Structure formats: C-alpha cells, structure tokens
Amino acid sequence: MIRSTKSTKLFLRAQAVIPGGVNSPVRAFKSVGRTPLFIRKASAAYIWDRDGNKFVDYVGSWGPMILGHANPGILRAIREAARTGTSFGAPTELEVRLAEIITRIMPSIEMVRMVNSGTEATMSAVRLARAFTGREKIIKFEGCYHGHGDSFLIKAGSGAMTLGVPDSPGVPAGVAAGTLSAPYNDLAAVRALFAKHPGEIAAVIVEPVVGNMGCVPPADGFLRGLRDECTAHGAVLIFDEVMTGFRVALGGAQQLYGVQPDLTTLGKIIGGGLPVGAYGGRRDIMERVAPAGPMYQAGTLSGNPLAMAAGYQMLRILSGNKLLYKRLEQHAALLEEGLRDNLRRLGLPYVINRVGSMFTLFFTDRPVADLAGAKTSDTAKFSRYFNAMLEQGIYLPPSQFEAAFLSTAHSERIVEKTVRASAKALAAVR
Ligand code: KE4
C-alpha cells in the first residue's frame, strides 16, 4: 500500500481553503476513491509525490508534457525570459515568434490570438463565430469537453462527466438553449439540426479526436462531413485542438485527417507547461477581433513572455526533429500491442482506443465511438485497475473518461514495465 501520509495531511489542509481541496475537479481522485497525491517534483517520464513515491506519469499535466517533464531546453527558455522580467502588459517579440511558428505549422491558422487557457480560447472562438455570422446557436457533441465556459457545459465530458455534472448548475437557460448537441460521429444528427435551424447556427465545435470521454477517434468521413455541412450552411467549423494540437501529429488532427477548419483552438502543448491558450484561423474571420475589428476579447497576461518563451521552445523542438513523432508512434503502438496481448492472454474483452500518443483502456466489451459507448464502461472496475496500477508505480489519469498520454521520455523499457504492471492489475480486477 502506497504510503501517503504527507499527501493526506496536505489534502486536509487544502480542503479547508480550496473547494474540494483542488484547483481543478478531476484532480480530486473522487472517481478512484482515494486521496489525491500531492506532487513534489517531476522529470522526464516520472513524477514524485510528497511522500517520496515515484511513478511513471501517463497524465503529463493532461497533455502539455509531450517532451516529458522539466525538459532542459524549455526550462532554459523560461529562465532566460525570467531574467528580463515576468510580464509587461505590452507586446514582445516572443509572442510574434510563437504566432509565426504556429501559423507556419498549421496553415489553416492565418492569424492567431494568445489567451491564457483552453477555456478562454474556446469561449473566444465561439464569440467570434457568432460575431462573424450574426447567428447565435452552436452545435457541440455529447461527451466532448471544451473547457468550462457556459455554452459548453451541456452534456460535457472530462471532469464534468466524471463527477456527474455534464449539465452544470449555474448555466442560464438562455445560454444553454443556444447550444445544440448531437452524438459524436453522428453526421445524420448534425444534418437534422441544420435542417431544423436554418440560418441560425453560427458554428460547429468539435474535438477532432475526443480525449474527454476517454480517447474516441472520428469515424471515417465524420470530420469531412462536418466540413461539408458547415460550408453548405455558412457555419464556422471550429476544431478544438487544445488537446490534439501538436499531439496526434505536428500539425494536429487537421493534418492527420486532412480536413481544414475555419477556426482552431489550442492550449496545453503550446504553453510548454505554462498557462497558454490560443485561437486562430481564417484571416477574414480573425480580422473581426479587437482592436482590428469589433469582437471584443482581452487578457492581462495574454502573451506572457515566460509562457511565450516556453511555448516557442516547445514548438521549435517538436518541429525540429523529423523522427520525434515517428518514435512517439512506435512506443505508443508498442504499449497498445502489449496491453492487447494482456487482454488476449487473460481472455478479457475490453476496448482500447488510441490515436498517436493518446489512448484509453475502456472497461467495456462494446465499441466506444460516442458517449453512449463510453458510458457502458464499468467505472468501478476502472477504479480498481487505476489503484492496482498506482500501487505498481504507474500513474494513470484518475478517470475512465480521460485520455492517457505518452511523452518522448517514455522509453521502450518504461513501456515494457507498464505492460507488465497492467497484466498484474488486469488479473487482479477481472
Ligand atoms: P483548459 O481551460 O483546462 O486549459 O482547457 C479546456 C479544454 C478545452 N478543450 C479541450 C479539448 C480540453 O481537453 C480542455 C481541457 N482538458 C482537461 C482534461 N481532459 C483539463 C484537465 C482539467 O480540467 O483539470
């Protein structure tokens, strides 16, 4: 049994002054029935908690740590930037460099605005789509999560789903009415919504690969179908690539599947571990954003020099090594194959969905292609598996409805250790 005395004491202190003792709900370990571990440090593929326990980390800060923790180049960039101050509230060359490298790597993004989180990015992108089209409704997909903006907490995934509040209290009925939802991968449902609301739909926002009901890939033709529907109806297609951007391919899901959105939202990886979000896309749309145009959006710390330095260094490393994504794919495929071997050997029917270095093992024998499929998972069994893996030094996302992530620091040896631990954990919970 992991010794967690210090984490337990810290959690008690935290709960006295922070709601639920955490600054983001899914970290509370509620669905896995244990005290969250308070982290002391992290390096490469590993994290250490305050009680000195060491784990292979498959959360990676929920996506940003594609190069592993404490990457030397990124730490150096942050230290360099910090030497000349931490925030000016004025433009710097660093934010221009990050904007230029993003627009070079993702050609659908002709212009980009920096914000401080993925939520800010998606909120701003939807406001922009409404301003550009003069329409009010949006379509999202059940089980997708686009941050905690009011328009998105309708049948939302991630922590909202994990904690059973996919339709959060506090969202005004008028706002909720502006959000139409459809099952993921269901093009017919999207067509029906467009037919029912002609001229009213400003945008379709989608996770081009879902991470927030666990990993769910797009069905063949789904993204292309959304592109065609949006073009036909004059709606803005928004790819929420906060998680998939620079993750599933250097150019994100839009490069992997060859479908070009009108707007893209980004976050996580582009901050190199510091708080950054961004939204960008077609120049004719982005030029509506203040002060170029009338759509207002602002932020004290937008373009923060430390975050820009970290993000720029991250994207330079990712775009500078042609073999990086190939090796990441090899190790992720090795892990998937090892997990599938375990399931075969134990005669277990569970489902593994993987796209690049993001994956989920679902405790169900049903295909998982949408929220209904994901919800057939046995979350009690997942919880026992999570704890059995944690006891063996493997730190998975503490929810059946989250994607796990490999980094370039997850070596073959670490993958093999993970497969061995998974065989024991599966045998223990079957
Ligand atoms: P943030 O506001 O958390 O930076 O980004 C919101 C967001 C938007 N879009 C997608 C596709 C996302 O995955 C996220 C945030 N992801 C979750 C993890 N599934 C953040 C973890 C958390 O809430 O603590």
Side-chain angles (χ1 to χ4, degrees), residues 145-230:
Y145 178 74
H146 304 291
H148 64 85
D150 281 352
S151 293
F152 306 124
L153 290 179
I154 316 296
K155 299 191 177 73
S158 184
M161 181 173 165
T162 302
L163 297 184
V165 284
D167 304 296
S168 169
V171 174
V175 172
T179 300
L180 309 170
S181 56
Y184 192 72
N185 279 325
D186 186 341
L187 264 183
V190 174
R191 291 192 181 106
L193 287 172
F194 272 112
K196 189 175 175 198
H197 301 276
E200 296 177 58
I201 294 171
V204 173
I205 184 166
V206 66
E207 288 186 60
V209 175
V210 185
N212 289 295
M213 41 179 143
C215 178
V216 176
D220 289 349
F222 177 60
L223 298 177
R224 171 57 55 199
L226 293 182
R227 174 65 280 168
D228 295 345
E229 286 303 305
C230 285

Side-chain angles (χ1 to χ4, degrees), residues 118-286:
T119 294
E120 259 196 279
T122 54
M123 284 169 61
S124 307
V126 161
R127 181 184 309 141
L128 176 57
R130 286 171 164 152
F132 182 72
T133 60
R135 302 174 182 176
E136 293 196 357
K137 290 191 180 344
I138 63 168
I139 294 175
K140 76 172 284 290
F141 294 90
E142 294 159 9
C144 285
Y145 178 74
H146 304 291
H148 64 85
D150 281 352
S151 293
F152 306 124
L153 290 179
I154 316 296
K155 299 191 177 73
S158 184
M161 181 173 165
T162 302
L163 297 184
V165 284
D167 304 296
S168 169
V171 174
V175 172
T179 300
L180 309 170
S181 56
Y184 192 72
N185 279 325
D186 186 341
L187 264 183
V190 174
R191 291 192 181 106
L193 287 172
F194 272 112
K196 189 175 175 198
H197 301 276
E200 296 177 58
I201 294 171
V204 173
I205 184 166
V206 66
E207 288 186 60
V209 175
V210 185
N212 289 295
M213 41 179 143
C215 178
V216 176
D220 289 349
F222 177 60
L223 298 177
R224 171 57 55 199
L226 293 182
R227 174 65 280 168
D228 295 345
E229 286 303 305
C230 285
T231 303
H233 295 280
V236 174
L237 178 58
I238 303 173
F239 273 12
D240 178 357
E241 297 227 42
V242 166
M243 188 183 284
T244 56
F246 309 96
R247 165 62 64 180
V248 296
L250 178 61
Q254 54 197 270
Q255 176 191 326
L256 189 63
Y257 295 101
V259 176
Q260 182 150 316
D262 302 307
L263 292 179
T264 299
T265 53
L266 298 169
K268 296 181 191 280
I269 286 173
I270 66 164
L274 297 193
V276 176
Y279 63 103
R282 278 171 36 194
R283 185 179 298 277
D284 64 321
I285 300 178
M286 290 302 291

Side-chain angles (χ1 to χ4, degrees), residues 26-223:
V26 74
R27 303 177 191 172
F29 275 35
K30 272 199 167 184
S31 69
V32 292
R34 64 167 302 132
T35 298
L37 302 178
F38 280 62
I39 305 306
R40 183 170 66 84
K41 71 170 186 172
S43 175
Y46 297 101
I47 55 172
W48 286 259
D49 69 14
R50 290 296 300 271
D51 291 278
N53 301 303
K54 177 182 178 184
F55 303 92
V56 175
D57 177 22
Y58 282 97
V59 176
S61 182
W62 304 95
M65 297 301 153
I66 192 169
L67 294 178
H69 290 284
N71 172 277
I74 292 178
L75 294 188
R76 197 169 31 254
I78 295 171
R79 276 196 299 271
E80 271 307 300
R83 242 191 278 280
T84 55
T86 53
S87 179
F88 314 121
T92 67
E93 184 186 356
L94 279 168
E95 59 201 313
V96 180
R97 283 191 198 161
L98 183 54
E100 286 171 341
I101 197 169
I102 288 173
T103 54
R104 178 165 59 76
I105 294 172
M106 287 192 167
S108 77
I109 301 179
E110 296 178 311
M111 299 190 93
V112 62
R113 166 61 62 87
M114 296 295 160
V115 292
N116 298 289
S117 70
T119 294
E120 259 196 279
T122 54
M123 284 169 61
S124 307
V126 161
R127 181 184 309 141
L128 176 57
R130 286 171 164 152
F132 182 72
T133 60
R135 302 174 182 176
E136 293 196 357
K137 290 191 180 344
I138 63 168
I139 294 175
K140 76 172 284 290
F141 294 90
E142 294 159 9
C144 285
Y145 178 74
H146 304 291
H148 64 85
D150 281 352
S151 293
F152 306 124
L153 290 179
I154 316 296
K155 299 191 177 73
S158 184
M161 181 173 165
T162 302
L163 297 184
V165 284
D167 304 296
S168 169
V171 174
V175 172
T179 300
L180 309 170
S181 56
Y184 192 72
N185 279 325
D186 186 341
L187 264 183
V190 174
R191 291 192 181 106
L193 287 172
F194 272 112
K196 189 175 175 198
H197 301 276
E200 296 177 58
I201 294 171
V204 173
I205 184 166
V206 66
E207 288 186 60
V209 175
V210 185
N212 289 295
M213 41 179 143
C215 178
V216 176
D220 289 349
F222 177 60
L223 298 177

